[in-house]
Amino acid sequence: MKLVDHFQYGLNAPICLTWELTYACNLACVHCLSSSGRRDPRELSTAEAKAVIDELQRMQVFYINIGGGEPTVRPDFWELLDYSIAHNVGVKFSTNGIKIDKERAARLAKTDYVDIQISLDGATAEVNDYVRGPGSFDTAIRALENLAEAGFQQPKISVVMTRQNVDQLDEFKAIADKYGAQLRITRMRPSGRGADVWDELHPLPSQQKQMYDWLVDRGDQVLTGDSFFHLSAFGEALPGLNLCGAGRVVCLIDPVGDVYACPFAIHENFLAGNVRSPGGFQEVWENSELFTELRQPQTGGACASCMHYDSCQGGCMAAKFFTGLPLDGPDPECVRGFGEQALAARDMDTLIPKSEVDHSRSAPRNSRSGKAPVPLTLSIARPDRACETSPLAGMGASDTDSGLRVPVAGS
C-alpha cells in the first residue's frame, strides 16, 4: 500500500493537529476562519490543556500547530509551550507578532522543538492592513526583525492568498529571504468571517493559473501544505499533500475542546466530539462516527468523470460546503471552470451554511443551538471514468446539490 493510501484511510494519530488555544485576538482580520476576537469563558483551563498534551504524548503526536485567535495573548501560553516541549510534543505556533519583542525572541531562539509562523497577508502595509487591520504590517515586520536579530532559525511567513496579493508573490519571497524565513502560502476559504468577503477577496481564475505557474517555477522552497492540490489539474502535481486530509491526517481542537475534522470547517456538521468527553481526544480521533465516515473509500462523485481527478481529488471539502456546493461535486475554484458552473446553477433557495461559532467583537455572545447536526453523505455512484465529460453533465439547476444537502442545521 502506498503512503498516500494510508493517509486516505486514516492514521493512528494526526500528522498535523491544529489547536486553537483561544478565540481572543487583538486583531479582527476580515477573513478570519474562526471569527475570533473575544475570549470564550468556557475555554480549556491550564490543567485541562496540559492533560491534552499528556494525551498527545501518549499517542506519539510529533508536533502541534497552535493558533487562535492570537495564542500569545492567552496568559498561560508560554507555560503551555514549555510544557509541551518538555513532554516531547513539538510546537509550531501562528502569531501576528504582537508579543514577539526582543526579549521573547531571544528566549525562543534558545528553545528547541519550536517553530514560529508570522501571519502577513500583504507585502506592503497598504495591502496587508486592508485585511488584517491598521498597524498589523509593522507589527509583523518588527517580530521578524526581532527573531532575525536573536538568531532564530527559519521562522515561517504565512500568507493567505487573495486577489489583492497574488501579484506580490515575489515580494513576499524577498521579505522571507531578507529575514532568513521560509515562505508559506495558504488558500483562502469561505469560512468564518471569510465567508463575508469571499466574493471580494478570493483569487480570480486567471490568478489561480498565475499562482500555479509561480509555484512550479519558483516554489521549490515554498510551503503549501494541502492548500493548493486543486491547482494540480493545470498540469503536474504540486508538492505537498494532494488530498483532503480532514479527519484522516489532520483535525482541529478549538478553545473549548471541540474537535473538528479540519481547521477550515468549524461548523457543527464537522464536529466530531470534545476532548472533555470520556476517553478524551484519543476516543474522538479513533472512534467518532464522523471520522470513521471520512476514512471510508470515496467515489469521487461527479468529479470522478474528470481526467484530472487523481491530481486534484475534487478539491477542498470546506470550500465546497461553505459555498453551498455538494461535497462530492467540484471545488468552487475548480481550474476547469466546473465550480463556477455549479455555483451559477444553485437554486435561488439554496441555504449557504454558516458557522454558529462567532467570537467577533461585534457579534452576539457565542452560543450553540443544541440542535443535532445534519448527517453527511459523502458519496454517490461512481460515473464511468472512461467518459471524459463535465462533472455537471446532465445535472439541472435543481440537481447540483445531489449527495450532501447543505442547509444549516435546524434551518
Side-chain angles (χ1 to χ4, degrees), residues 251-288:
C251 71
L252 168 76
I253 301 176
D254 86 344
V256 301
D258 283 337
V259 181
Y260 293 91
C262 161
F264 311 117
I266 302 176
H267 186 278
E268 57 186 10
N269 282 41
F270 301 100
L271 177 60
N274 189 284
V275 301
R276 285 170 166 149
S277 300
F281 172 75
Q282 185 167 1
E283 174 64 23
V284 176
W285 178 258
E286 293 180 351
N287 298 312
S288 76

Side-chain angles (χ1 to χ4, degrees), residues 268-269 369-375 408-411:
E268 57 186 10
N269 282 41
S369 65
K371 299 172 184 176
V374 176
V408 177
S411 60

Side-chain angles (χ1 to χ4, degrees), residues 156-211:
K156 309 297 184 285
I157 296 176
S158 181
V159 180
V160 176
M161 299 307 302
T162 66
R163 69 182 60 173
Q164 287 78 11
N165 67 20
V166 169
D167 289 338
Q168 296 185 322
L169 279 166
D170 286 333
E171 294 173 67
F172 282 122
K173 186 64 168 61
I175 292 173
D177 292 343
K178 178 179 179 180
Y179 295 108
Q182 187 173 20
L183 180 62
R184 176 181 182 269
I185 65 172
T186 187
R187 182 180 177 185
M188 182 183 172
R189 265 78 169 196
S191 51
R193 286 198 295 267
D196 298 328
V197 294
W198 168 257
D199 290 335
E200 176 189 354
L201 296 186
H202 82 95
L204 299 168
S206 61
Q207 292 177 315
Q208 300 280 348
K209 182 63 162 61
Q210 183 180 344
M211 284 190 291

Side-chain angles (χ1 to χ4, degrees), residues 25-41:
C25 190
N26 58 304
L27 299 181
C29 301
V30 299
H31 59 1
C32 180
L33 293 167
S34 56
S35 299
S36 291
R38 296 177 298 181
R39 173 185 174 272
D40 193 309

Side-chain angles (χ1 to χ4, degrees), residues 11-12 23-24 35 44-45 132 152 154 190 229 263-264 316 323 327 361 364 386-387 390 408:
L11 301 178
N12 292 334
Y23 284 122
S35 299
L44 299 176
S45 67
R132 303 187 62 81
F152 189 94
Q154 204 173 55
F229 59 92
F264 311 117
C316 173
T323 52
L327 297 192
R361 296 187 193 96
C387 180
S390 165
V408 177

